[in-house]
Structures are given as C-alpha cells and as structure tokens.
Amino acid sequence: PHGKLRVTMSDVGQGDALAIDLPDGQLMLVDGGGFVGSPVDPGERVLLPMLRERRRKRADIVVLSHPHPDHFTGLVSTMAGIEVGELWDTGQGEAQGAGPIYAAFLALARERGAVVRGPSDLCGGERAIGGARIEVLAPCPSFDPDLNANDNSFVIRIAYGSRAVLLTGDAEAHEEAALLGDRPERLRADLL
C-alpha cells in the first residue's frame, strides 16, 4: 500500500515478527521469532510465504530488537531469501556473544551487503523514513553492557499523520522506567 502505514503481526509461536509497510511503499521487518532447538523455522514457514504472497523481494530495513533467539532465528532464513537494505542491531549480541545462530545472522547480513546500523547511528531524534516519522528511543546512545538484552531492546516509535506505533521489543522494568523518566510524551501511541 502507498499513503498508509500498515503493521502486520505474524503468528510465529514464540517471539515477535512484524512487517511494517511504510507510506511510500518501503518495507520494515522487525524480528523474526524462533524456538531454540525447534525444527520449525518461522522464517521459512511464516515470513517468507507472507512476503511472497505480497510480492516482496526486499526489506528496506530489518530490525532485530535484541539478540535473543525468539527474535532472530526466523530472520536468518528470511534474510537469505530476500534483499535487505539495512539491518538495525543494538550491537550487544556481537559485543557479548549471542551464539552461533546470531553470528550467522549477522555474517549473512554483511555478506549480502546490508548496511548494519547501531544505536549510535540511529538515536538522536525523529527521522523521516519511508514517508513516516521514525524515532529510536532506546537504547540510546548505546546498549548498557551491565543490563540484559531485554532491557537493551530497541524501542522505536513510528508515526504517520496523527497515528503512532510503539515497538518495545522485550523491554523490562529498567528500560521502561528510563523511558518514562525521559520525556514520556514521546511514548504516546495508538498501538503498542
């Protein structure tokens, strides 16, 4: 669709997987679900069929909210089957080691030419992307190495017209308190 902001939440069993059609037609994928040790690949079973149905061969932006398997496992096969412009990654998985599936995911993104962007590239105010206003609210200016990956989740607000979506990954009490303490008006959203 053009001129609309459409958010599709896919049933991947465990974790998150969202496809966000931006108003100018660009596509943003956020997380890909997954089960540790499961033979079920949510990328193969859910995300790639959905993208094929929509005739999508490219994701302009892929966001990994945080480096836990129930958020990145399905992205490995999804990214292998489509072109990716940018990968947004908090950097915590690479810095602290999030395991071989995560390492393969990051290596695949780089191998396929995706520009990898972290909080230092993305924080610092609202940006016009794809016809929407997108603001990375956390972890800013970078992930906190003393916090777990959930409390270092990307928190992203996407607004179009008078409507807004707030994506919080698996933010827990620490990150929530920090967000509420720093300009809480930025958290207003129609969809959480």
Side-chain angles (χ1 to χ4, degrees):
H2 288 272
K4 296 180 181 184
L5 177 66
R6 178 173 70 175
V7 179
T8 303
M9 293 144 203
S10 296
D11 182 359
V12 290
Q14 174 67 35
D16 294 333
L18 292 89
I20 302 169
D21 295 291
L22 297 171
D24 74 350
Q26 290 187 57
L27 177 67
M28 174 185 271
L29 295 178
V30 180
D31 293 335
F35 295 96
V36 175
S38 171
V40 177
D41 180 342
E44 286 289 334
R45 179 154 304 166
V46 178
L47 297 176
L48 286 172
M50 182 262 303
L51 293 172
R52 279 192 293 273
E53 181 179 304
R54 293 183 179 187
R55 295 183 211 105
R56 293 287 200 156
K57 296 179 181 178
R58 173 184 171 83
D60 298 281
I61 300 169
V62 172
V63 178
L64 174 59
S65 65
H66 63 289
H68 279 163
D70 61 334
H71 292 263
F72 65 70
T73 305
L75 288 177
V76 178
S77 56
T78 301
M79 285 185 22
I82 62 172
E83 181 184 335
V84 175
E86 295 182 4
L87 169 64
W88 293 7
D89 180 72
T90 65
Q92 187 172 16
E94 187 169 33
Q96 297 180 342
I101 296 172
Y102 170 83
F105 160 76
L106 196 56
L108 177 64
R110 289 181 170 136
E111 176 183 303
R112 306 251 354 251
V115 176
V116 179
R117 299 193 188 283
S120 63
D121 302 320
L122 300 166
C123 294
E126 200 173 77
R127 301 164 193 242
I129 300 175
R133 298 178 320 278
I134 300 178
E135 185 173 11
V136 174
L137 303 173
C140 294
S142 182
F143 74 89
D144 183 335
D146 295 327
L147 295 176
N148 67 42
N150 286 349
D151 267 335
N152 276 307
S153 289
F154 269 127
V155 175
I156 301 169
R157 186 173 186 268
I158 303 171
Y160 181 62
S162 63
R163 300 288 187 185
V165 176
L166 186 65
L167 308 175
T168 60
D170 280 350
E172 294 178 1
H174 186 277
E175 193 169 39
E176 290 173 354
L179 288 163
L180 288 168
D182 179 35
R183 295 182 28 220
E185 70 278 0
R186 297 182 309 166
L187 303 177
R188 191 209 62 76
D190 301 288
L191 175 66
L192 173 62

